[in-house]
Structures are given as C-alpha cells and as structure tokens.
Amino acid sequence: MTQGAAHLEAMEPSDGRFDGPPPRERIFNVPLVALSLGASMPALYWFQERAHTYWLELAFRPVDLAEGRYAGLVTSMLVHGGWAHALMNAVGALTFGAPLARLFGGGTGVGVFLALYIVSGAAATLGYGLLHWGGLDPLVGASGGVFGLIGAASRLLGGRGRVLPLTDGGVIRSAIAWMGVNAVIGLIGFAPGAEGARIAWEAHAFGFLFGILAIGPLARVFARPDERFDSAAGTGDPVP
C-alpha cells in the first residue's frame, strides 16, 4: 500500500464516504535550507551591486596562498560577476541541494549540508589556486560549492534515498558527463554569466571531486534515509 493510499484510508469513514476534502500535495516541496542557499546568491548580488566598497576585495587570487591570505577561499563564494552568474549558481544550488538536504534532514543535517557546500567551495578554490600558483586574476562565484553539491547528488540518482557506491555504473556515467560538459565549457570559454571572464573549470572539477567523495562518509554518519524505502526487495510497493 502506498503512502498516499494510507492517507486516504485514514480519512475514510466506515460507510465509505469522505468527511472532508482529499489531502493536498505541496507543489513546491524544497527543503528550506536548499531554498535559502539558492535565494542567498541573487540576494547577495543585489547588495553587491549597491556596495560602497570595492567588492573584489572578497575575491580570491592564487597569489593569496603564497602570501598567507586564506579568507578568499570562502569569501569569494559570496560575490559573483553578474546577475546571470548569480542566478545560474542559485538554480544549481536549488536543484542539486534539495535531494541532499532531504537525505540529511533535521537540525544537524542543516549544518552538515552547509558544511558540505562551504568546504566543497573552499576545496575547489584551493585546488584552483594551487594549479595557478602566484596568479593575479581574481576568482569569484559559488560555482565550486555548487559543483560539490552536484557531485554529491550524482550518487543519489537512482539510489532510492541512499548513496550509491562510486563504482555504480550510473554514478560513473554521471561523473563522466559532468566533467565532459565542464571541460567543453572551459575550452570554448563560454557560459551564461561569464561576460568575457575566464571560466574556472578547474575549480568546478575540484568541487565536484570533493563532493562525490565526501558524500559517502557523511551519509554513513549523518544520513536519515526515507523509511518508506525500507521494504523487502520485490515487485510490490514499499510498506510505510
């Protein structure tokens, strides 16, 4: 018996008639933490456009590592190069963050979700900085963190609420596809919101790699799988 059928049966009186309207399914069913993360990007860019200070002070430059400045590993995620850049990352965070937020759930899960996003972004920026050691070009945007969410979420596709192993065929194909798209974007140097700036495809790759690796141990410790999928294997519906 499906969950929806269980809800209907509970509302049905003994004479077979319904006492009230059927339950409504929510049209917009995104966890608040994922929604807040996505909304924060255009909101922060709105303030960025109106800032009285030079916002590139928050950007990361590879030379910062050699000079002992590390704050840019995180602060660079707070600023973007344009509206399209901010909105593109917001859509990515909302789309791929939602299944991860559902996987963790609860108050602790919110912290785990945000930590995954932030550390993915910092790891992405760090990897970029090491590859371009001493470089002066500024790096901005939340793309590294978003690619961390994409990498982590790629191990949930087809997993029925659980994290698939790295050796799963679907996970491997998804990783190849994402890295292929990322490489093409880097080679042609075009993406919505780039506005002529260089695409930091290397940062995307580092973020994706961190996310796809980190989700395994994080899920083993903090995940809260949907109990509806705890039924025995077979052709019948899961038992709630």
Side-chain angles (χ1 to χ4, degrees):
M1 181 181 295
T2 63
Q3 186 182 29
H7 286 321
L8 291 176
E9 185 179 27
M11 294 180 60
E12 186 176 1
S14 58
D15 59 4
R17 293 177 295 118
F18 292 103
D19 288 334
R24 295 181 179 179
E25 292 289 339
R26 287 182 293 177
I27 296 176
F28 197 67
N29 189 24
V30 176
L32 181 59
V33 64
L35 178 62
S36 299
L37 177 62
S40 71
M41 296 174 188
L44 286 172
Y45 186 73
W46 186 89
F47 285 107
Q48 176 186 326
E49 279 200 318
R50 290 154 179 79
H52 297 294
T53 58
Y54 192 46
W55 59 267
L56 274 178
E57 293 175 355
L58 299 176
F60 170 80
R61 294 174 176 82
V63 72
D64 292 343
L65 297 178
E67 297 179 356
R69 296 190 299 269
Y70 307 109
L73 295 174
V74 175
T75 59
S76 60
M77 300 171 65
L78 304 175
V79 290
H80 286 86
W83 274 110
H85 189 200
L87 291 173
M88 180 177 62
N89 280 333
V91 171
L94 187 64
T95 302
F96 296 97
L100 294 167
R102 293 191 189 100
L103 176 70
F104 295 118
T108 300
V110 170
V112 174
F113 172 83
L114 293 176
L116 174 62
Y117 165 72
I118 294 171
V119 179
S120 292
T125 307
L126 176 62
Y128 177 86
L130 293 175
L131 285 180
H132 297 274
W133 186 265
L136 298 175
D137 293 336
L139 175 69
V140 298
S143 301
V146 171
F147 264 84
L149 299 181
I150 293 173
S154 68
R155 291 182 63 181
L156 295 178
L157 299 177
R160 301 186 62 178
R162 289 180 175 82
V163 177
L164 295 173
L166 283 168
T167 54
D168 179 81
V171 173
I172 294 173
R173 288 190 294 271
S174 178
I176 292 173
W178 275 110
M179 290 301 94
V181 170
N182 185 45
V184 170
I185 290 175
L187 288 174
I188 66 177
F190 172 78
E195 300 179 358
R198 180 182 181 277
I199 306 299
W201 63 270
E202 305 97 326
H204 300 169
F206 278 112
F208 184 93
L209 180 63
F210 182 89
I212 202 171
L213 294 176
I215 186 62
L218 286 176
R220 282 194 291 273
V221 177
F222 298 106
R224 295 174 55 183
D226 193 330
E227 294 179 355
R228 287 175 296 173
F229 296 115
D230 286 342
S231 58
T235 57
D237 290 333
V239 178

